[in-house]
Amino acid sequence: MRLGLLTACLPGESLDDIAGWASGHGYDALEVAAWPDRPGRDWEASHLDVEHFDHAEAARVRALFDGLGLGLSAIAYYENNLHQDPAVREATHDHLRRCIDAAALLGVGLVGTFVGRDVSLTVAENMRLAEKVLPPLVSYAAERGVRLVIENCPMEGWHPDGYPANLAYSPELWGWLADLGLWLNYDPSHLVWQGIDPVAALDDHVDRVLHVQAKDVELDPWARNRYGVFGRVIDKQEWVSGWWRYRIPGLGEVDWRRVVDTLHQAGYDGVVSVEHEDPVWSGSLERVQQGLTIAQRTLSPYVQI
């Protein structure tokens, strides 16, 4: 098992600089963000230009990682593959295919994404939609030696009322994902605030886990008693529930000793990739890097053994 980080927390830094820092600060691998480079969306990291990726750039990236002793665990493009606008949905699928192509050139077997949701439809209707539009993407990946791993984030901010907008939020749906040929990028933080034991959920589905994201979550039970599990309604802020927030591993509720031990017992030998979304350790390059250092110190005794 190796410890990695998702590069999305450093959208303003180059892949070369991130790789150099990670290698010097106890990390073994990178999960590389590859969102499109779009004006006005500076928070989206584009550390691989997959739209123009070719053999020469693949060779350069491989040489960079090999020279630093780093692995490349996955290419990351977490977007709504069931978006209600057909044009947006198709553009998302097209970029996902470019991510798959880049992964194939790099010899990386995994691309991370979301199922998503058409928020104008019910969950049942979305499942039928997914059964039509996702299998061709799974096949496209398989033909190139790549598998799609789905993060179990609810993406409640995509829904106008804060309800789950990514059909992987519940372990009830993970068998359905398997039937579609999709795999899990397991993140325990999303389960905790839903009231789900992340260790029990992992134990039941660990055979479908090909990648792991390490993020923690801090709960405020008093605020939950006021707002309920779906969060604040009056004076609601986008992506802010009012009673929980994501934290760096070790600063929240997740029992990382038990999570990683469950992975070890199941024979998992992939990457545990830190996903830094902690508002406390954000705001500058130095604070983000300090947060990543805290995560490395927390997880390395369990992962890097």
Side-chain angles (χ1 to χ4, degrees):
M1 206 182 304
R2 293 165 293 155
L3 184 62
L5 67 88
L6 171 59
T7 67
C9 61
L10 294 165
E13 302 302 303
S14 71
L15 180 59
D16 294 53
D17 287 344
I18 295 170
W21 184 90
S23 176
H25 289 80
Y27 282 95
D28 305 315
L30 296 182
E31 179 187 1
V32 180
W35 273 262
D37 188 2
R38 295 181 283 189
R41 298 178 71 90
D42 295 340
W43 65 88
E44 291 179 334
S46 303
H47 292 130
L48 284 181
D49 181 6
V50 298
E51 298 294 336
H52 305 97
F53 205 73
D54 56 18
H55 287 278
E57 182 62 9
R60 189 197 74 80
V61 172
R62 285 198 302 268
L64 168 69
F65 277 62
D66 290 346
L68 293 169
L70 287 176
L72 205 170
S73 66
I75 292 178
Y77 176 53
Y78 297 97
E79 270 296 350
N80 189 350
N81 283 291
L82 300 182
H83 197 282
Q84 63 268 33
D85 184 330
V88 173
R89 185 192 306 161
E90 182 48 43
T92 300
H93 292 179
D94 185 65
H95 190 78
L96 181 59
R97 286 189 285 266
R98 301 294 76 76
C99 289
I100 293 167
D101 293 341
L105 285 175
L106 286 164
V108 179
L110 304 177
V111 171
T113 191
F114 291 137
V115 172
R117 177 176 181 173
D118 179 339
V119 297
S120 70
L121 302 178
T122 68
V123 170
E125 290 167 337
N126 269 276
M127 291 175 72
R128 303 294 85 77
L129 174 62
E131 289 161 5
K132 286 174 47 180
V133 304
L134 295 185
L137 294 169
V138 171
S139 296
Y140 186 91
E143 290 163 3
R144 290 154 180 80
V146 175
R147 290 181 285 188
L148 298 179
V149 288
I150 304 297
E151 184 188 349
N152 55 290
C153 179
M155 293 306 290
E156 71 289 343
W158 282 346
H159 194 287
D161 294 319
Y163 302 147
N166 172 39
L167 298 192
Y169 66 91
S170 164
E172 180 187 9
L173 294 166
W174 294 352
W176 170 76
L177 293 179
D179 291 341
L180 295 182
L182 298 164
W183 299 78
L184 274 176
N185 188 2
Y186 170 80
D187 184 333
S189 66
H190 305 302
L191 298 168
V192 173
W193 69 262
Q194 295 181 83
I196 299 169
D197 180 345
V199 175
L202 174 62
D203 197 43
D204 287 343
H205 298 275
V206 70
D207 61 319
R208 298 300 300 178
V209 174
L210 296 184
H211 199 270
V212 174
Q213 284 186 333
K215 187 163 71 266
D216 220 322
V217 63
E218 179 183 11
L219 310 181
D220 182 343
W222 180 90
R224 180 179 58 203
N225 288 340
R226 174 174 174 79
Y227 299 130
V229 71
F230 296 114
R232 187 171 184 166
V233 175
I234 299 171
D235 298 325
K236 183 176 179 62
Q237 300 177 52
E238 188 177 19
W239 296 104
V240 177
S241 76
W243 71 270
W244 61 266
R245 62 180 179 174
Y246 293 125
R247 299 301 310 274
I248 284 295
L251 301 179
E253 306 290 331
V254 176
D255 186 337
W256 293 103
R257 179 183 61 83
R258 292 185 61 218
V259 167
V260 178
D261 181 58
T262 301
L263 292 167
H264 275 301
Q265 291 190 53
Y268 178 78
D269 60 359
V271 169
V272 176
S273 177
V274 174
E275 184 182 19
H276 184 340
E277 294 183 348
D278 188 328
V280 176
W281 293 103
S282 296
S284 70
L285 172 61
E286 292 74 19
R287 289 190 69 79
V288 171
Q289 289 176 335
Q290 184 59 40
L292 292 170
T293 299
I294 294 169
Q296 192 276 336
R297 291 172 179 168
T298 298
L299 295 173
S300 60
Y302 307 129
V303 174
Q304 296 167 316
I305 59 176

